[in-house]
Amino acid sequence: MLTHCKKGEGSAAIVGARLFTDNGLRRPRVFWGEKHHMRFRHFLGLLGAAAISLSLAAGASAEDKVVKIGAVFPMSGGAASIGVHVKAAFDVALDIVNNAHPELGNFPLAKNAGLAGLGGAKVEVVFADNQGSPATGQNQTLRLITEDKVVAVTGAYQSGITLTSSAIAEKYGIPYVNGESVAANLTERGFKWFFRTTPIASDFAKVFSEFLTDMKAAGGKTDTIALVHDNTEYGTSVANTITSTFKEKGLNVVLDVAYASNATDVQSQVLQLKEKKPDVVLMISYTSDAILFAKTMQAQDYKPGILLADDAGFSDPDFIKAVGKISQGVFNRSSFSVGPAGSPSAIIADMYKKKSGLDMDDTVARQMTGLFVLLDAIDRAGSTEPAKIQAALKATDLKPDQLMIGYKGVKFDDKGQNILASGGIIQLQDGENYVSVWPKATAEKTPVLPYKGW
Amino acid sequence: MNFFLVQVIVGGLLLGAVYALFSSGLTLVWGMMNIVNFAHGDFVMLGMYAAFVVFQLFGVGPAVGAPFAAVLLATVGVIVYFSLIRHIMKGPMLAQILGTFGLALLLRYSVFWWFGANFLSLPNNIVGGTYEFFGLRIEAARLLAGAVALLVTLGLHLLLTRTSLGSKMLAVAEDATAAQLMGIRPDSMQAIAWAIAAGATGLAGALIATFFYIVPTVGETLGIVAFVTVSLGGFGSVPGALVAGLLIGVIESVSGYLIGAVYKDIVVYALFIFFLWFRPQGLMGKA
């Protein structure tokens, strides 16, 4: 009750919204009567104040309106490089949204400056550091919502942190759009305020199994498969999903190598693989471990026939810079490809490169897509009221040509999952740049077997 | 015996030597002045960045990078001693812990600010590839680090037990007031101890950088191992850190190979606690 009253003093709009949500229904009877009367008068007074301030605001120019979005990402800790990349990417996204970019054609929110649906309001992203910890991610989300008064939240990269931080947004009734976390259970919690644009583990398990079946048809050996994954929410849940999908499709997982994330040494794991000789090694790792595995595989002279990676560490430009030359021929999943010159994806990748000095990778592209989808919804809602943004998100129906990424579109099901998310397989053929190799229809090059390494 | 197991044990010994290498500085600082340096892992990190910068500027490997890192970190050690350690030593234990912990964060995020959060790496095979003996594969970079670990341990041990400087340092460690009455300046001795400890740590960082990734938070990953190594070996004992490092390296590798990597830390730490139960002062520590 206390927090409820405090909130009311902060903003009349929020009180209005909340009176008709769960708080209003659960209010005990005791408060009816004189106390309730006073509360109502208090409410009227606030409403009046709000009306005055609104009319004052209307008098000011549109540029003064700012829509605040909270962004929870790892800005320090082992995954801090991801936070640095996403910060640069969001700066580019805000440039596109807040300034006029006619060169992007029909790309949503690009044509004019600011959000047209809110009278040209500018968007501001407030970053918070999750420090790679689920508990910190949760606290920071709470801070963004209660202190910074953000109207919506995006984040938080690591599936395990998205899990905790979105629970806070759900509790406060604030829309949460996730662009990159793939653990299946995130959209299985019956949440009403959680929306996810990225393809998830089960989508990619299917992509992997179809790809491996095609490779077998093309003469590759795929009889035995080893899964190598860390013990985080991401690593274990993706490994579980892949194991069950592969079983259904008749693919044979013979070895499951789990390790603790941020390992100091992975030699014994590489030797396990070397001894069991699986035809395919599927890696589910964050950047630090991915680099260590690549170095150790070279030191132990170990090359599987097919090395397939589940995005994450293997998509990090740092991975390519550090060990790309000794990881030639590694396959990876991706939804992003730069596309022809002049296309929105190519223009945005170029802007990102100017900003960060890095080539755009799949992770960053999916994160930006999440933000664009959220902003598009706020623009269509024409309001920063949480319920209206939520309704607009539910009504989202973006087409492939309105996206900077290779999804078949964005449309959410009842659980908040984008049902049109999809992706393909890319290969690091020259050790410097990934090229799309599967499915055939959109491939730039044909897949090269076996894994070359160094 | 299974051939792969032999390879695992050899790899574990080399890993253990590396653990010992970056732990010797920590145990020395403790032995000299009873200070637990929580910034130790970040000294290793600075050594790694020093080697990286040397490579970036001059295109040379650890032959130049390692001595440079050692000198640079020795200087940092002296500065840290006079600007921070000397003052917090007079305070309560908590001030010492928080002081070095604050230093750790300061170092980590200064590097973060200057170099960014990106993962860096020295070129692969900067130290001459991999040797093969009867099918056993030994990385030259790790072999070098292991050899240097032995030399550093031996050197520090001889310094403390066979030289007059070592005797003076130990005298200060035992009773600073009495040492002062004998004409030894505790300040200088402790500053020298910090210089040696930090220098050895910088050297370790530069060598580890030849086969590990470099990132501002790498000290977090390595720091914990150093603390376990030092407490198992006995706080203050340099040879103890070597034996403990080798032991932990082998146990970690073998249990990771036989039982699974997720469980290797359970094995290592369970054995560690079990051992401390019987010998709380560690393998070679003074009771």
Side-chain angles (χ1 to χ4, degrees), chain A residues 45-312:
Chain A
L46 274 176
L47 211 63
I52 292 167
S53 59
L54 263 181
S55 59
L56 281 175
S61 67
E63 271 89 292
D64 292 338
K65 274 198 237 160
V66 169
V67 175
K68 272 201 210 173
I69 307 292
V72 189
F73 286 104
M75 313 301 291
S76 66
S81 62
I82 297 296
V84 172
H85 301 162
V86 76
K87 177 106 182 18
F90 279 17
D91 281 349
V92 170
L94 291 186
D95 177 9
I96 291 169
V97 173
N98 288 339
N99 301 306
H101 281 273
E103 76 276 16
L104 282 166
N106 277 333
F107 195 78
L109 312 178
K111 216 173 261 170
N112 55 306
L115 298 175
L118 279 98
K122 294 281 195 283
V123 179
E124 184 193 326
V125 172
V126 186
F127 277 90
D129 182 8
N130 72 28
Q131 295 176 14
S133 135
T136 311
Q138 192 163 32
N139 291 338
Q140 291 298 320
T141 310
L142 183 66
R143 181 180 68 80
L144 286 172
I145 293 172
T146 57
E147 311 262 321
D148 292 299
K149 312 268 181 221
V150 298
V151 301
V153 180
T154 185
Y157 184 61
Q158 295 100 328
S159 292
I161 305 179
T162 306
L163 191 77
T164 57
S165 78
S166 59
I168 290 292
E170 183 74 15
K171 193 175 156 207
Y172 279 81
I174 295 287
Y176 194 112
V177 176
N178 169 272
E180 79 282 52
S181 301
V182 297
N185 57 355
L186 288 171
T187 39
E188 300 295 329
R189 298 174 292 172
F191 278 20
K192 294 181 175 62
W193 300 87
F194 185 74
F195 299 86
R196 172 159 65 177
T197 53
T198 185
I200 58 172
S202 52
D203 299 325
F204 279 110
K206 245 169 63 196
V207 167
F208 288 146
S209 73
E210 284 165 19
F211 168 70
L212 289 177
T213 310
D214 276 11
M215 286 302 99
K216 188 174 185 175
K221 231 169 127 14
T222 60
D223 296 336
T224 52
I225 298 164
L227 294 186
V228 181
H229 61 92
D230 67 27
N231 62 348
T232 65
E233 177 75 31
Y234 161 66
T236 44
S237 72
V238 172
N240 285 340
T241 310
I242 288 177
T243 307
S244 55
T245 308
F246 278 17
K247 212 177 218 172
E248 274 168 37
K249 308 270 174 186
L251 290 163
N252 190 14
V253 177
V254 294
L255 187 62
D256 182 288
V257 181
Y259 63 90
S261 189
N262 271 335
T264 50
D265 187 59
V266 294
Q267 189 178 248
S268 44
Q269 291 87 298
V270 171
L271 286 171
Q272 269 180 315
L273 294 171
K274 196 175 175 180
E275 188 183 6
K276 296 270 161 58
K277 298 193 185 66
D279 299 326
V280 179
V281 171
L282 208 165
M283 303 269 319
I284 306 152
S285 302
Y286 286 122
T287 312
S288 56
D289 301 318
I291 292 176
L292 209 53
F293 263 104
K295 283 181 181 263
T296 309
M297 282 167 77
Q298 186 197 24
Q300 292 301 336
D301 192 27
Y302 172 66
K303 294 177 200 174
I306 295 176
L307 182 63
L308 180 56
D310 182 76
D311 209 354

Side-chain angles (χ1 to χ4, degrees), chain A residues 357-375:
Chain A
L358 296 167
D359 288 317
M360 176 154 283
D361 63 272
D362 176 65
T363 306
V364 150
R366 285 183 297 131
Q367 287 167 326
M368 276 182 94
T369 302
L371 179 66
F372 276 127
V373 167
L374 171 61
L375 295 179

Side-chain angles (χ1 to χ4, degrees), chain B residues 129-222:
Chain B
T130 308
Y131 300 119
E132 204 164 336
F133 302 102
F134 306 106
L136 282 179
R137 296 184 63 83
I138 297 177
E139 252 178 293
R142 284 176 191 253
L143 195 62
L144 175 68
V148 172
L150 290 177
L151 287 177
V152 166
T153 307
L154 191 67
L156 285 179
H157 188 64
L158 289 179
L159 174 85
L160 287 178
T161 54
R162 301 288 160 87
T163 66
S164 81
L165 177 66
S167 308
K168 284 182 192 165
M169 285 163 70
L170 288 175
V172 171
E174 203 143 299
D175 190 335
T177 322
Q180 206 163 9
L181 292 173
M182 298 296 125
I184 305 168
R185 294 185 53 175
D187 248 11
S188 329
M189 288 306 124
Q190 289 179 337
I192 291 172
W194 266 85
I196 294 172
T201 310
L203 183 69
L207 292 173
I208 292 166
T210 57
F211 56 85
F212 211 75
Y213 56 81
I214 308 168
V215 76
T217 49
V218 75
E220 261 176 89
T221 311
L222 299 177

